[in-house]
Amino acid sequence: MATKGEITKEKILAKAESLILQKGYAGMTLDELLEETGLTKGAFFHHFKGKAGLAKSVLERYASNDYELFKNYSDQADRLSDDPLERVLIFIKLFEEFLNGLENPFPGCIFSSYSYEVRNFEPEIGDYIKENLNAWLDLYENKLGALIKARPPALPVTARELSEMIGSIIEGSFVMTLAMKDKSWTQRQSAQYRHYIELLFRT
Amino acid sequence: MATKGEITKEKILAKAESLILQKGYAGMTLDELLEETGLTKGAFFHHFKGKAGLAKSVLERYASNDYELFKNYSDQADRLSDDPLERVLIFIKLFEEFLNGLENPFPGCIFSSYSYEVRNFEPEIGDYIKENLNAWLDLYENKLGALIKARPPALPVTARELSEMIGSIIEGSFVMTLAMKDKSWTQRQSAQYRHYIELLFRT
DNA sequence: TATAAAACATACCAAATGGTCTGTGTCAAG
DNA sequence: CTTGACACAGACCATTTGGTATGTTTTATA
């Protein structure tokens, strides 16, 4: 059962993530955060070890939710097909459908946001981001490795390179979504990546 | 001839860009900026209309330098080959070589940094970023359009989609370069994009 | 060389900001 | 019913931060 404190803490974390994605960590003030949540200083400092502690908690929560989402789609793809190529394509397509189902555009990635103000954080925060990005890329790399093992690609590419590519495309698309105010951007570019994979492996 | 004031102004702008890319606009304080440049409040407020004015000047300077760089490579590619496919590939490769020639890794993109704290800026800043990103993508789109006109792609893709893709890959690679502390990331992913183009058009 | 404008320096200020301290209500266990 | 830990509220504080006011030096130009 979620205690009253857990609910309050989650409300703070969700609002903080939203504010950080729109103003950055340094740009988000505690007063604004507390005003928008309807809470006070007392509540905040009871649950978090200062602003830096909040940043860490926001990051951990985001990393956990993010990994769970992709891990879910990865497993689902494996259940939906036995073909290594189809598994990769479905994995990617599931995320596209997820984006398409959102009423509001994806608000951005905490990993990216933190990375663009890395000097505001302790080095361990950067290490944590790196670890979690690697775990995310590993999900793609595993499937791409199986695919390469099953069929020779049309060009000499590694599973790592291809996993880094979809990671770059997604992160870059989030930036472009924000900058261009075009919420279908990520979906469109993810589809381009699927084209590339098909050309590489659909002999 | 550059006046003394122009030199000072440029020094402030360069240092501000560097600090913004590491701490964000909100995270960069004027005191820190002035300490690192060895100047004082008087010098700063003589040259800039407050912190917001500095942000706008940093953005305009970055946009100008950025466009000039890519415009240069675009023209150079046209001079080096008559073949539409080669022109695209050379254009991309020239930027890869530029990145490879840097001793320090590329410090990031001001457009991205600003986009991840867009609510700290006036809306006109967002509009300006969008315009300049479009001008950048247009350089790619022109070449890709000529290529598609000359040869049918293996899959039905538009010049716009393909230009958005290289844009996404570059922006995403900058993020990953920062997050993973891997300065060869952008180069590697740019090469993957060239592979995709080759598969699409090298019949 | 006189002079005005440009290019700074420095002391100062009001507001914002992260954080502390003390107090209060609530709720479950003894 | 008591008590003590949890979950807040709200006043208060020290520092930081963007910005101003005023004064001084340098530079271009007539």
Side-chain angles (χ1 to χ4, degrees), chain A residues 27-40:
Chain A
M28 175 201 66
T29 68
L30 295 184
D31 286 350
E32 186 185 10
L33 173 65
L34 296 173
E35 173 142 15
E36 295 214 13
T37 55
L39 295 168
T40 58

Side-chain angles (χ1 to χ4, degrees), chain B residues 106-120:
Chain B
F106 200 66
C109 172
I110 285 291
F111 297 148
S112 298
S113 177
Y114 279 32
S115 293
Y116 260 110
E117 50 178 327
V118 70
R119 273 189 52 190
N120 293 328

Side-chain angles (χ1 to χ4, degrees), chain A residues 7-19:
Chain A
I7 293 174
T8 298
K9 194 171 179 179
E10 168 61 24
K11 185 162 68 172
I12 294 177
L13 285 171
K15 196 64 185 177
E17 179 182 305
S18 170
L19 282 174

